[in-house]
Amino acid sequence: MLTPPLPITTAAAQAGRLAMRDVWRASELAISRSTTCSTGHDRLDRELPNQGWPRSALIELLVQQHGIGEMQLLKPVLASLAARQRVALVQPPYLPHAMACRAWQVNDRNLLWLKPASSADALWAAEQILKNGSCGAVLLWQANVRPEALRRLNLAAQSTDTWLWLLRPIAAAADASPSPLRMTLRPAAGGVSVDIIKRKGPHCEQPFFIPLGDMPVPLHIPLQPASHDHETDVKRPPAVVAARSATTVLV
C-alpha cells in the first residue's frame, strides 16, 4: 500500500528556499558577490550575470572587424570610469581622437595610450598595469594570443580591482579561453549584433541587437540586426564626401 506524500507546510517551504538560496541552477544567470558596472545598454545588462560588466575578470569582445561599433558599445562605461580613474588603451588599431572622446563625455586627460612595439610587449604592459592597479580599466587589442598568455591575463585581472577588455578577431571564438565572459560583435544597421558565446549561466540561444545612437543608419534600411553570418549590405557615400561632411567619432 502506497503512503500518500506528506503536505509541505509554509514553514518547510520557506526553510527549503533559505537552504537553496546559495545554490546556482544552470538554467539561471549566475549571481555572485563580484562587483559589476552597468553596460549602459538595458538589453545587454539583462543578458549578463549580475547585470553588468564584471570587474576583476577577463572580458573578451570578438569583433568581425575593427570599427563596427565596439567602442560605442563601451562608451557608457568608459565615460563613467574615465571621470575618476585612468583608462589604458593598449595597442589600439587606430589613433585615439581627443575631440571624439570629449564629444562622448569621456575625460581624455585620463586616457593612457600605449603603443608597444610587439604583441609580447603589449601583453606584458597590460599585465603590469593590472598588477599595479594604476588604472580603472584596460583595453587590449590583440590578433593572436597564446593560451598561456590568456591565463596570465585572467589571473592578473583576478588579483586587482580593474576592468579588462580584450578585443580579438571573431575567428578566435572557436579557441578555448579562461575568460568567464565572451561575446561576438557583428555590424548591424544603427548598432551591433551581439552573440554571447560564454557566460556564467544558460547558453544564449541567439544573437540580439544593441542600438547605438552614433552609428550611421541609411534612411532606406530599417533598424534591425545584421545576419549572423554576413555583414549588413549598407551603401556608404564616397570616402571624400564622408570625410568632408561626417563628424569624427570613435567606433
Side-chain angles (χ1 to χ4, degrees):
M1 181 177 179
L2 297 177
T3 304
L6 296 175
I8 300 177
T9 64
T10 303
Q14 184 178 4
R17 287 193 296 269
L18 290 175
M20 300 292 287
R21 63 183 177 181
D22 293 329
V23 176
W24 169 71
R25 297 173 176 84
S27 60
E28 302 173 348
L29 288 177
I31 299 177
S32 64
R33 295 183 179 90
S34 59
T35 301
T36 59
C37 62
S38 172
T39 65
H41 309 281
D42 293 340
R43 180 68 175 88
L44 182 55
D45 282 347
R46 291 196 297 269
E47 297 293 338
L48 299 181
N50 282 23
Q51 298 188 346
W53 299 117
R55 191 179 68 179
S56 307
L58 171 62
I59 307 169
E60 285 193 62
L61 300 182
L62 310 174
V63 298
Q64 182 168 308
Q65 64 188 63
H66 295 301
I68 61 171
E70 64 273 21
M71 293 303 294
Q72 292 198 42
L73 185 71
L74 294 174
K75 178 175 67 173
V77 65
L78 293 182
S80 176
L81 292 174
R84 59 187 186 276
Q85 296 174 290
R86 285 196 292 182
V87 175
L89 310 176
V90 184
Q91 217 170 36
Y94 304 114
L95 178 69
H97 199 291
M99 294 303 296
C101 293
R102 294 172 187 175
W104 282 7
Q105 305 300 315
V106 176
N107 184 5
D108 58 297
R109 295 186 177 183
N110 276 342
L111 293 182
L112 177 64
W113 172 41
L114 285 80
K115 189 179 180 181
S118 65
S119 294
D121 291 343
L123 291 168
W124 181 87
E127 186 177 347
Q128 298 309 307
I129 294 173
L130 291 170
K131 287 182 177 180
N132 63 39
S134 59
C135 295
V138 177
L139 279 74
L140 172 64
W141 285 262
Q142 288 294 290
N144 300 299
V145 186
R146 299 175 64 87
E148 55 268 26
L150 288 175
R151 289 193 292 269
R152 289 177 64 93
L153 281 174
N154 191 47
L155 288 174
Q158 292 175 353
S159 64
T160 185
D161 294 334
T162 303
W163 276 268
L164 170 63
W165 289 273
L166 173 62
L167 293 95
R168 308 172 65 193
I170 203 169
D175 300 338
S177 171
S179 169
L181 179 59
R182 308 180 77 200
M183 59 182 66
T184 63
L185 304 179
R186 292 179 172 85
V192 290
S193 177
V194 179
D195 188 8
I196 300 177
I197 59 176
K198 183 180 179 182
R199 64 181 176 182
K200 293 182 178 179
H203 177 68
C204 186
E205 296 297 333
Q206 59 185 4
F208 53 92
F209 175 66
I210 299 294
L212 301 173
D214 293 332
M215 290 297 290
V217 184
L219 297 178
H220 61 283
I221 296 182
L223 284 174
Q224 59 184 3
S227 169
H228 186 80
D229 299 319
H230 302 286
E231 182 179 357
T232 306
D233 185 14
V234 178
K235 294 182 179 180
R236 295 180 173 85
V240 175
V241 176
R244 291 176 179 173
S245 59
T247 303
T248 303
V249 295
L250 290 174
V251 290

Coordinates of all heavy atoms in Angstrom, one line a residue, residues 40-73:
G40 N 25.3 50.2 -19.7 CA 24.7 51.3 -20.3 C 23.6 51.0 -21.3 O 23.0 51.8 -21.9
H41 N 23.5 49.7 -21.5 CA 22.5 49.2 -22.5 C 21.6 48.1 -21.8 O 22.1 47.1 -21.4 CB 23.2 48.5 -23.7 CG 24.3 49.4 -24.3 ND1 24.0 50.4 -25.2 CD2 25.6 49.3 -24.2 CE1 25.1 51.0 -25.6 NE2 26.1 50.3 -25.0
D42 N 20.4 48.5 -21.6 CA 19.4 47.6 -20.8 C 19.4 46.2 -21.4 O 19.3 45.2 -20.6 CB 18.1 48.3 -20.8 CG 18.0 49.6 -20.0 OD1 19.0 49.8 -19.2 OD2 17.1 50.4 -20.2
R43 N 19.3 46.1 -22.7 CA 19.2 44.8 -23.3 C 20.4 43.9 -23.0 O 20.2 42.7 -22.7 CB 19.0 44.9 -24.8 CG 18.9 43.6 -25.6 CD 17.5 42.9 -25.2 NE 17.3 41.7 -26.0 CZ 17.8 40.5 -25.7 NH1 18.4 40.4 -24.5 NH2 17.5 39.5 -26.4
L44 N 21.6 44.5 -23.0 CA 22.8 43.7 -22.7 C 22.9 43.4 -21.2 O 23.3 42.3 -20.9 CB 24.0 44.5 -23.2 CG 25.4 43.8 -23.0 CD1 25.4 42.5 -23.7 CD2 26.5 44.7 -23.6
D45 N 22.5 44.4 -20.4 CA 22.5 44.1 -18.9 C 21.7 42.9 -18.6 O 22.1 42.1 -17.7 CB 22.0 45.3 -18.2 CG 23.1 46.4 -18.1 OD1 24.3 46.2 -18.4 OD2 22.7 47.6 -17.7
R46 N 20.6 42.7 -19.2 CA 19.7 41.6 -18.9 C 20.3 40.3 -19.2 O 19.8 39.2 -18.7 CB 18.3 41.8 -19.6 CG 17.5 43.0 -19.1 CD 16.0 42.8 -19.5 NE 15.9 42.9 -20.9 CZ 15.7 44.0 -21.7 NH1 15.6 45.2 -21.0 NH2 15.6 44.0 -23.0
E47 N 21.2 40.3 -20.1 CA 21.8 39.0 -20.6 C 23.1 38.7 -19.8 O 23.7 37.6 -20.0 CB 22.1 39.1 -22.1 CG 20.9 39.2 -22.9 CD 20.0 38.0 -22.9 OE1 20.5 36.9 -22.6 OE2 18.8 38.2 -23.3
L48 N 23.5 39.5 -18.9 CA 24.8 39.3 -18.2 C 24.6 39.0 -16.7 O 23.7 39.5 -16.1 CB 25.7 40.6 -18.3 CG 26.1 41.0 -19.7 CD1 27.0 42.3 -19.6 CD2 26.8 39.9 -20.5
P49 N 25.4 38.1 -16.2 CA 25.3 37.8 -14.7 C 25.6 39.1 -13.9 O 26.4 39.9 -14.3 CB 26.5 36.8 -14.5 CG 26.7 36.2 -15.8 CD 26.4 37.2 -16.9
N50 N 24.8 39.3 -12.9 CA 24.8 40.5 -12.1 C 24.5 41.7 -12.9 O 24.8 42.9 -12.4 CB 26.2 40.6 -11.4 CG 26.3 39.7 -10.2 OD1 25.6 38.7 -10.1 ND2 27.2 40.0 -9.2
Q51 N 24.0 41.6 -14.1 CA 23.5 42.7 -14.9 C 24.6 43.8 -15.2 O 24.4 45.0 -15.0 CB 22.3 43.3 -14.3 CG 21.1 42.4 -14.2 CD 19.9 43.0 -13.7 OE1 19.9 44.2 -13.2 NE2 18.7 42.3 -13.9
G52 N 25.8 43.4 -15.6 CA 26.8 44.3 -16.0 C 28.1 43.7 -16.3 O 28.3 42.5 -16.3
W53 N 29.1 44.6 -16.7 CA 30.5 44.1 -16.9 C 31.1 43.7 -15.6 O 31.1 44.4 -14.7 CB 31.3 45.2 -17.5 CG 30.8 45.8 -18.9 CD1 30.4 47.1 -19.1 CD2 30.8 45.1 -20.1 NE1 30.1 47.2 -20.4 CE2 30.3 46.0 -21.1 CE3 31.1 43.8 -20.5 CZ2 30.1 45.7 -22.4 CZ3 30.9 43.5 -21.8 CH2 30.4 44.4 -22.8
P54 N 31.7 42.5 -15.5 CA 32.3 42.1 -14.3 C 33.7 42.7 -14.1 O 34.5 42.8 -15.1 CB 32.4 40.5 -14.5 CG 32.5 40.3 -16.0 CD 31.7 41.4 -16.6
R55 N 34.0 43.1 -12.9 CA 35.3 43.6 -12.6 C 36.2 42.4 -12.2 O 35.7 41.4 -11.8 CB 35.2 44.6 -11.4 CG 36.5 45.4 -11.2 CD 36.3 46.4 -10.0 NE 36.1 45.7 -8.7 CZ 36.0 46.3 -7.6 NH1 35.9 47.7 -7.5 NH2 35.8 45.6 -6.5
S56 N 37.5 42.6 -12.3 CA 38.5 41.6 -11.9 C 38.3 40.3 -12.7 O 38.4 39.2 -12.2 CB 38.4 41.3 -10.4 OG 38.5 42.5 -9.6
A57 N 38.0 40.5 -14.0 CA 37.8 39.3 -14.9 C 38.2 39.7 -16.3 O 38.1 40.9 -16.7 CB 36.4 38.9 -14.8
L58 N 38.6 38.7 -17.0 CA 38.9 38.9 -18.5 C 37.7 38.8 -19.3 O 37.0 37.8 -19.3 CB 39.9 37.8 -18.9 CG 40.3 37.7 -20.4 CD1 40.9 39.0 -20.9 CD2 41.1 36.5 -20.7
I59 N 37.3 39.9 -20.0 CA 36.2 40.0 -20.8 C 36.7 40.1 -22.3 O 37.5 40.9 -22.6 CB 35.3 41.3 -20.5 CG1 35.0 41.4 -19.1 CG2 34.1 41.3 -21.4 CD1 34.4 42.7 -18.6
E60 N 36.2 39.1 -23.1 CA 36.6 39.1 -24.5 C 35.5 39.6 -25.4 O 34.3 39.1 -25.3 CB 36.9 37.7 -24.9 CG 38.3 37.2 -24.3 CD 38.7 35.9 -25.0 OE1 38.9 35.9 -26.2 OE2 38.8 34.9 -24.3
L61 N 35.9 40.6 -26.2 CA 35.0 41.1 -27.3 C 35.6 40.6 -28.6 O 36.7 41.1 -29.0 CB 34.9 42.6 -27.2 CG 34.3 43.2 -25.9 CD1 34.2 44.7 -26.0 CD2 32.9 42.6 -25.6
L62 N 34.9 39.7 -29.3 CA 35.4 39.2 -30.6 C 34.7 39.9 -31.7 O 33.5 39.7 -31.9 CB 35.2 37.7 -30.6 CG 35.7 36.9 -29.4 CD1 35.3 35.5 -29.4 CD2 37.2 37.1 -29.2
V63 N 35.4 40.7 -32.5 CA 34.8 41.6 -33.4 C 35.0 41.0 -34.8 O 36.1 40.5 -35.2 CB 35.3 43.0 -33.3 CG1 35.0 43.6 -32.0 CG2 36.8 43.1 -33.5
Q64 N 34.0 41.2 -35.7 CA 34.1 40.8 -37.1 C 35.2 41.6 -37.8 O 35.9 41.1 -38.6 CB 32.8 41.0 -37.8 CG 32.8 40.5 -39.2 CD 31.4 40.3 -39.8 OE1 30.5 39.7 -39.2 NE2 31.1 41.0 -40.9
Q65 N 35.3 42.9 -37.4 CA 36.3 43.8 -37.9 C 36.3 45.0 -37.0 O 35.4 45.3 -36.3 CB 36.1 44.2 -39.4 CG 34.8 45.1 -39.6 CD 34.5 45.3 -41.1 OE1 34.3 44.4 -41.8 NE2 34.6 46.5 -41.5
H66 N 37.5 45.7 -37.0 CA 37.6 46.9 -36.1 C 36.7 48.0 -36.7 O 36.6 48.2 -37.9 CB 39.0 47.3 -36.1 CG 39.9 46.3 -35.4 ND1 39.7 45.9 -34.1 CD2 41.1 45.7 -35.8 CE1 40.7 45.1 -33.8 NE2 41.5 44.9 -34.8
G67 N 36.1 48.8 -35.8 CA 35.4 50.0 -36.2 C 33.9 49.7 -36.5 O 33.2 50.5 -37.1
I68 N 33.4 48.6 -36.0 CA 31.9 48.3 -36.3 C 31.0 48.8 -35.2 O 29.8 48.6 -35.3 CB 31.7 46.8 -36.5 CG1 32.1 46.0 -35.2 CG2 32.5 46.2 -37.7 CD1 31.7 44.5 -35.2
G69 N 31.6 49.4 -34.1 CA 30.8 49.9 -33.0 C 31.2 49.4 -31.7 O 30.5 49.7 -30.7
E70 N 32.3 48.7 -31.6 CA 32.7 48.1 -30.3 C 33.1 49.2 -29.3 O 32.8 49.1 -28.1 CB 33.9 47.2 -30.5 CG 35.2 47.8 -31.0 CD 35.3 47.9 -32.5 OE1 34.3 47.8 -33.2 OE2 36.4 48.0 -33.0
M71 N 33.6 50.3 -29.7 CA 33.9 51.4 -28.8 C 32.7 52.1 -28.4 O 32.6 52.6 -27.2 CB 34.9 52.4 -29.4 CG 36.3 51.8 -29.7 SD 37.1 51.1 -28.2 CE 37.3 52.6 -27.2
Q72 N 31.7 52.3 -29.3 CA 30.4 52.9 -28.9 C 29.7 52.0 -27.9 O 29.0 52.5 -27.0 CB 29.6 53.1 -30.1 CG 30.2 54.2 -31.0 CD 29.1 54.8 -31.9 OE1 28.0 55.0 -31.6 NE2 29.5 55.0 -33.2
L73 N 29.9 50.7 -28.0 CA 29.2 49.8 -27.0 C 29.8 50.0 -25.7 O 29.1 49.9 -24.7 CB 29.5 48.3 -27.5 CG 28.8 47.2 -26.6 CD1 27.3 47.3 -26.8 CD2 29.3 45.8 -26.9

